[in-house]
Amino acid sequence: MAKYPFAKIEAKWQKCWEGTGQFKVKPDPSRLKYYCLEMFPYPSGKIHMGHIRNYVIGDVIARYKLMRGFNVLHPMGWDAFGIPAENAALKDRVHPAKWTRQNIDYMRVQLKHMGLAYDWSREISTCDPDYYKWGQWLFLKFYERGLVYKKKATVNWCPSCRVVLANEQVEDGRCWRCASEVTTKELDQWFLKITAYADQLLAEQDKLTQWPERVLAMQRNWVGKSFGVEIDFKLKNQKSKLRSQAVIPVYTTRVDTIFGATYLVLAPEHPLVPEVIKGAKNLKDIEEFIQRARRQPRAMRTSAQTSKEGIFTGRYAINPVNGQEIPIWIANYVLMAYGTGAVMAVPCHDQRDFEFAKKYGLPLKIVIQHPALRGEARQRRPDKSLKEESVTQAYEEPGYLVNSGKFSGLNSRDAQDKIASWMEEKNIGRRRVNYKLRDWGISRQRYWGTPIPIVYCDKCGIVPVPEEDLPVVLPEDIGFPSSGQSPLPELLEFIRTTCPRCRGPVRRETDTMDTFVDSSWYFARFVSPHCKNLPFNEEVDYWMPVDQYVGGIEHAIMHLLYARFFNKVMRDLGLLKVDEPFKRLLTQGMVLKDGVKMSKSKNNIVDPDQIIAKYGADTARLFSLFAAPPERDLEWTEEGVEGAFRFLNRVWRMVEEFRIQKEPEVGLSEETKWLKRVTHRTIKKVTEDIERCFHFNTAISSIMELVNAVTIGMRNAAAKGKPRRRRECGMRNVMGEAIETVLLLLAPFAPHITEELWEFLGNQPSISQQPWPAYDPKLIEEEQILIVVQVDGKLRSRVTLPKDSTDQQVRAAALENGRIKKLIEGRKVERVIVVPKRLVNIVTR
């Protein structure tokens, strides 16, 4: 059979949609809105199958909601700044701006070929001055509220990309972009004070009832709010009179273990390190270790796989609870970014400390015993008691205190509160709330990014660029140095300008912003992308929040946390009213081939253009939705693609072979009633699958079953010829309803073929403008099924039975059927095969 002409059909309908502006949208207070958004792409050059899956998932949701009567906003844009453009400029000698815009043009065409229902009139690109002007404006508003500051900081540095990386951008000690080994470097950096919103980011998670729990857990862990005690450890023989130098503050969440501290560890970056190591006998070795440890990226230093290394300083601290002198070490696994940059090590009750102590032969001291081993129980089972000489790993669970002075015998949880209160009375410690979250360093020493709107004046100091002078335009008519360094620091016409306060000469900031700043508010710009006097206008109150957000789990911390932070600040600035930007979140799985993620390095990329050319966009869409639930990884198979293509061809042939002719629905036969019930049950099942958890794969499977049912009905009708009895009238009418239902239910998944077939059947207007089909509850309630009865593998009859009939009841009904009894009369029935809820095959001889 000839294949359906997908290339001709898809080009026709894509041109039609664009020409009529079918998916353009504007606020309409009389209608319920629905804002559907997929995480916008980086214009890397070509759309890959991971993109396809992401955007098709969002497109099905948007098209479905359109058919449900919602006013749907479904925009698309480009996360266009970033280091890959600079890398491409170095490799191919193409200007980053030219490379980026060429890629955008190509990828836009690719997305349109997929038939995605975007309002392209709202397209934005973060590298356009009309967009980043408002990113700079928001920077200034943050600055006015004290949420922006500059300080020296030790940063992760990628020597290949020559750029600062956030902690989240370091994966196993390597750059997330180029996989080069990351080092550290001390630079002046601009920071956004996200820590000011740490409590809100945690507390308002309660409003995110439609987010995956694992995403919320990842964010909670990243913010890392903890309750503990900050303890003062004095340096032994400290001659300085300054208290800040005489005391090392240590933060701990396990103050109940304080009596078990046997050494103290400082981060290599700790400000007291120079004072502590002064005069050390092995000073050169210590300094070399410090430099080596500081060069290791933070993610590597805290990784469980990284070897824990340290060096003794020769100095001691005093444990304030018992006066014990404990050695001070410097170790790579302690960071200034958490707590105070100093750790009291309790090897018997912290596994990391235990491994370090064992490696360097440091003392162990047990201060927590198992809660079951108290008093007589401990005497009866001494072999179960923890002992320093036999400990093989740290005991980190609750228990009761031993070797802890007057607190011995207390439950460890009760002891935490009592010890904390006692320390506050003695003025040797104080309760503290601590966060793992650190302020967001946004400075990037690269060219292709949003310029930071700050100038430096010898007279006025740091001066924000006035709003009326925005945007600070990134110069594009420049050469790009072969060194890979940003050309901005050497571009005098960019650097030199006039101070907005004293009108004297000043120099511009040459760092650009982290691209995550651009993507932290783009969802709000989409509501009014052409607004000239603000980042967005009052339409934001109609459209926000985003009702459905779709993107990869890899953005669970960086992008999603930053976007939530920006939304809260914009709310506090009075720009919008919602507390959270994304009401519902779907994190789709990866696309795999041969069990591994598709990537250029593994040479297993599938080109979407080739799939579209060979099978059509609808086939690519259908396969990506049918092969796995959206939250699971999808295994790419050529067989699966061909299967999706064959199904669409079946639908095409089914409609071509049928012309709807209205007939009176009177005295319907059992077979006709069965098809009508199947049709309405399919509507119910597909609707529930989409509404509940976006189970597109099972929804498509149900549509396939309905196609099978229609095909059986058509085959049987053709075999019977023209209906001769009144009760057979109306079969074609019911069949027509079933076929139209197939097209309506399939429309969000395969929009091109369903548009064409809808028009072929004489229906107007566009199928995407049709209402979603509704089912008749009365038909759903009829819990009966049609069972096919075969004799020796040939169809001979059908029986209608209650849906919950047992195999024995089905078997009996088949054998008692009048027609079957005549056919098998005089034969021996060897066996009866029952396929539950489908058929019975009676084998005779």
Side-chain angles (χ1 to χ4, degrees):
M1 279 225 177
K3 299 174 182 176
Y4 84 96
F6 58 83
K8 179 181 177 181
I9 291 168
E10 291 175 357
K12 168 187 172 180
W13 288 104
Q14 288 163 16
K15 183 178 180 181
C16 176
W17 296 331
E18 187 165 1
T20 60
Q22 185 154 317
F23 304 113
K24 286 186 178 180
V25 67
K26 60 183 180 180
D28 183 353
S30 68
R31 296 172 63 194
L32 288 174
K33 68 91 180 180
Y34 193 88
Y35 186 177
C36 182
L37 182 65
E38 302 94 59
M39 294 181 185
F40 65 171
Y42 181 79
S44 56
K46 268 193 169 187
I47 295 293
H48 55 69
M49 291 311 303
H51 286 132
I52 295 297
R53 192 180 189 203
N54 184 23
Y55 306 139
V56 169
I57 288 170
D59 195 60
V60 170
I61 297 169
R63 287 177 176 273
Y64 169 76
K65 290 296 182 179
L66 273 171
M67 296 178 74
R68 297 289 287 185
F70 286 87
N71 192 28
V72 176
L73 171 60
H74 190 209
M76 174 50 68
W78 311 96
D79 193 9
F81 276 135
I83 195 66
E86 296 189 30
N87 290 343
L90 290 172
K91 181 181 177 182
D92 301 323
R93 308 309 301 163
V94 179
H95 193 285
K98 181 179 180 181
W99 182 85
T100 300
R101 294 191 172 102
Q102 285 176 341
N103 290 347
I104 288 174
D105 291 341
Y106 186 83
M107 292 170 72
R108 185 190 302 110
V109 171
Q110 286 187 298
L111 290 180
K112 288 185 176 182
H113 283 170
M114 287 302 300
L116 302 167
Y118 290 134
D119 180 352
W120 283 104
S121 69
R122 295 174 180 267
E123 180 181 4
I124 60 175
S125 177
T126 60
C127 67
D128 289 341
D130 283 346
Y131 181 85
Y132 67 72
K133 167 185 178 178
W134 298 109
Q136 294 172 341
W137 185 88
L138 287 168
F139 176 95
L140 297 178
K141 294 300 178 185
F142 279 47
Y143 188 87
E144 290 172 7
R145 293 182 70 88
L147 296 172
V148 178
Y149 64 92
K150 190 175 188 181
K151 71 170 185 177
K152 278 194 177 292
T154 301
V155 296
N156 299 313
W157 177 258
C158 175
S160 174
C161 297
R162 305 183 71 82
V163 67
V164 171
L165 301 175
N167 290 343
E168 308 93 299
Q169 295 169 318
V170 181
E171 299 175 351
D172 295 326
R174 296 186 175 275
C175 174
W176 76 314
R177 288 286 192 192
C178 70
S180 296
E181 187 172 334
V182 175
T183 62
T184 59
K185 194 172 186 178
E186 191 170 78
L187 294 172
D188 283 324
Q189 296 284 283
W190 285 99
F191 289 84
L192 297 186
K193 201 170 183 181
I194 190 173
T195 54
Y197 282 78
D199 282 329
Q200 286 190 45
L201 290 167
L202 288 175
E204 294 184 2
Q205 276 195 355
D206 292 343
K207 300 176 181 178
L208 303 177
T209 57
Q210 298 182 78
W211 278 42
E213 175 53 35
R214 68 169 177 157
V215 173
L216 297 177
M218 291 168 75
Q219 291 203 3
R220 282 194 298 269
N221 292 337
W222 190 257
V223 175
K225 183 176 183 178
S226 63
F227 299 88
V229 177
E230 187 177 277
I231 308 168
D232 295 334
F233 283 76
K234 290 184 178 180
L235 281 170
K236 181 187 176 184
N237 299 328
Q238 176 56 250
K239 297 178 181 179
S240 173
K241 295 181 181 179
L242 296 176
R243 185 179 183 279
S244 61
Q245 291 182 326
V247 171
I248 302 174
V250 171
Y251 176 80
T252 180
T253 59
R254 290 294 307 273
V255 72
D256 53 315
T257 66
I258 177 66
F259 287 87
T262 60
Y263 61 99
L264 190 144
V265 187
L266 299 179
E269 302 85 1
H270 198 288
L272 272 180
V273 163
E275 179 70 24
V276 171
I277 66 174
K278 189 183 297 182
K281 294 179 180 179
N282 58 337
L283 182 60
K284 185 177 180 181
D285 293 337
I286 295 173
E287 290 176 337
E288 288 178 354
F289 171 80
I290 291 170
Q291 292 304 314
R292 187 169 69 252
R294 293 180 69 169
R295 283 195 298 269
Q296 291 180 315
R298 299 177 193 179
M300 179 180 289
R301 284 168 57 180
T302 56
S303 171
Q305 285 71 45
T306 301
S307 175
K308 294 163 184 60
E309 298 179 336
I311 192 166
F312 178 44
T313 64
R315 297 290 297 276
Y316 291 82
I318 308 299
N319 187 332
V321 300
N322 56 17
Q324 180 181 354
E325 296 179 8
I326 58 175
I328 301 174
W329 283 65
I330 299 171
N332 64 341
Y333 70 88
V334 180
L335 303 176
M336 280 303 300
Y338 181 69
T340 64
V343 171
M344 67 171 204
V346 186
C348 284
H349 306 292
D350 182 281
Q351 186 62 27
R352 184 182 58 176
D353 296 341
F354 178 80
E355 293 170 8
F356 190 86
K358 281 292 187 181
K359 181 174 182 177
Y360 291 102
L362 295 169
L364 310 178
K365 185 178 181 182
I366 292 168
V367 291
I368 306 286
Q369 282 286 357
H370 192 283
L373 298 177
R374 302 185 63 132
E376 294 182 4
R378 187 180 179 188
Q379 293 176 1
R380 291 195 306 269
R381 303 178 65 188
D383 56 315
K384 298 295 183 180
S385 298
L386 298 173
K387 299 176 182 176
E388 285 87 353
E389 61 271 17
S390 60
V391 170
T392 57
Q393 65 179 32
Y395 177 74
E396 298 178 323
E397 301 303 315
Y400 70 97
L401 271 61
V402 296
N403 303 319
S404 299
K406 68 177 184 178
F407 301 103
S408 294
L410 289 177
N411 175 285
S412 57
R413 288 194 174 125
D414 294 338
Q416 289 190 2
D417 184 62
K418 292 183 182 298
I419 294 175
S421 297
W422 176 72
M423 284 187 162
E424 288 178 330
E425 290 174 7
K426 297 290 186 181
N427 199 30
I428 57 175
R430 61 215 62 86
R431 288 178 173 87
R432 287 280 185 265
V433 177
N434 195 58
Y435 299 88
K436 285 176 22 181
L437 179 68
R438 287 296 176 260
D439 285 335
W440 174 12
I442 64 164
S443 293
R444 298 294 180 263
Q445 292 68 44
R446 64 184 179 215
Y447 161 69
W448 192 237
T450 298
I452 294 175
I454 291 291
V455 297
Y456 299 96
C457 178
D458 291 339
K459 182 178 179 181
C460 305
I462 295 176
V463 181
V465 173
E467 292 179 21
E468 59 269 22
D469 292 341
L470 298 180
V472 176
V473 176
L474 183 71
E476 294 187 11
D477 187 17
I478 61 169
F480 204 75
S482 59
S483 65
Q485 292 180 310
S486 169
L488 293 180
E490 308 300 324
L491 200 64
L492 297 183
E493 57 268 38
F494 175 75
I495 296 174
R496 293 174 177 171
T497 186
T498 302
C499 178
R501 291 179 182 170
C502 70
R503 312 310 299 172
V506 296
R507 58 184 177 85
R508 289 195 189 279
E509 172 63 78
T510 57
D511 283 359
T512 54
M513 294 189 205
D514 180 9
T515 56
F516 280 102
V517 173
D518 304 324
S519 60
S520 291
W521 68 280
Y522 79 108
F523 48 87
R525 181 65 175 174
F526 271 136
V527 307
S528 48
H530 309 297
C531 185
K532 298 295 184 183
N533 58 339
L534 282 171
F536 40 87
N537 60 26
E538 66 280 357
E539 292 182 18
V540 73
D541 294 332
Y542 175 79
W543 289 115
M544 286 293 288
V546 175
D547 294 278
Q548 181 62 61
Y549 200 34
V550 182
I553 190 69
E554 66 272 15
H555 296 293
I557 296 173
M558 287 184 285
H559 165 58
L560 290 172
L561 193 66
Y562 296 157
R564 293 181 62 216
F565 165 53
F566 257 70
N567 188 93
K568 294 178 192 307
V569 179
M570 292 190 295
R571 175 203 60 196
D572 293 347
L573 288 168
L575 297 172
L576 46 72
K577 297 176 181 177
V578 297
D579 295 324
E580 292 288 342
F582 313 121
K583 185 176 180 181
R584 187 173 186 178
L585 174 67
L586 189 157
T587 52
Q588 89 281 357
M590 296 184 297
V591 178
L592 311 177
K593 189 177 181 186
D594 302 323
V596 295
K597 181 182 178 181
M598 284 188 184
S599 69
K600 291 179 181 179
S601 62
K602 294 181 175 62
N603 197 30
N604 65 346
I605 291 290
V606 174
D607 187 348
D609 289 347
Q610 294 177 4
I611 299 300
I612 293 172
K614 186 175 181 180
Y615 298 105
D618 281 345
T619 295
R621 291 170 62 108
L622 198 68
F623 169 76
S624 68
L625 297 164
F626 180 61
E631 70 277 5
R632 303 270 185 87
D633 291 342
L634 180 153
E635 179 69 35
W636 178 270
T637 65
E638 193 71 21
E639 295 79 8
V641 176
E642 290 173 352
F645 185 57
R646 284 195 301 271
F647 170 70
L648 292 177
N649 274 280
R650 282 189 65 197
V651 174
W652 179 266
R653 292 193 298 270
M654 178 184 72
V655 178
E656 271 196 332
E657 293 169 9
F658 185 85
R659 295 283 186 175
I660 295 178
Q661 297 173 3
K662 301 296 182 182
E663 298 173 343
E665 288 190 21
V666 291
L668 297 181
S669 66
E670 286 301 315
E671 185 176 353
T672 305
K673 290 179 181 177
W674 168 76
L675 180 57
K676 196 170 185 70
R677 284 195 296 270
V678 171
T679 299
H680 284 255
R681 286 172 183 163
T682 302
I683 295 171
K684 181 176 186 291
K685 177 69 163 56
V686 173
T687 305
E688 289 176 348
D689 283 348
I690 295 176
E691 287 283 357
R692 189 174 66 253
C693 296
F694 302 132
H695 285 171
F696 303 134
N697 56 325
T698 55
I700 294 169
S701 180
S702 296
I703 298 170
M704 290 177 172
E705 290 177 8
L706 179 56
V707 171
N708 291 339
V710 173
T711 303
I712 291 171
M714 290 175 65
R715 188 182 301 128
N716 294 337
K720 291 180 180 179
K722 187 175 180 179
R724 290 167 293 187
R725 296 186 298 276
R726 178 171 178 154
R727 68 186 181 86
E728 292 180 359
C729 292
M731 178 59 176
R732 288 185 59 79
N733 203 30
V734 171
M735 198 178 299
E737 178 193 10
I739 289 174
E740 288 190 341
T741 298
V742 167
L743 298 181
L744 289 166
L745 297 180
L746 191 59
F749 304 97
H752 306 90
I753 189 173
T754 51
E755 286 276 23
E756 183 71 14
L757 292 175
W758 188 255
E759 183 182 72
F760 174 78
L761 291 174
N763 295 313
Q764 292 291 337
S766 164
I767 196 169
S768 61
Q769 294 176 295
Q770 298 298 315
W772 187 255
Y775 61 86
D776 185 343
K778 293 179 181 178
L779 290 172
I780 301 300
E781 290 169 5
E782 294 185 38
E783 294 296 320
Q784 289 189 316
I785 54 175
L786 186 69
I787 302 293
V788 172
V789 183
Q790 298 176 341
V791 177
D792 297 327
K794 295 181 180 180
L795 175 63
R796 296 304 187 188
S797 188
R798 293 175 178 80
V799 294
T800 302
L801 296 169
K803 187 176 182 179
D804 57 357
S805 297
T806 65
D807 288 354
Q808 290 77 12
Q809 290 170 329
V810 172
R811 182 180 186 278
L815 291 171
E816 289 299 318
N817 179 269
R819 187 177 181 196
I820 296 300
K821 288 175 75 174
K822 289 181 181 180
L823 284 171
I824 64 175
E825 188 176 355
R827 302 188 198 179
K828 182 179 179 181
V829 177
E830 286 195 333
R831 54 186 174 137
V832 178
I833 303 169
V834 178
V835 179
K837 299 182 181 181
R838 296 189 64 180
L839 64 84
V840 177
N841 184 25
I842 301 170
V843 181
T844 69
R845 70 173 182 181

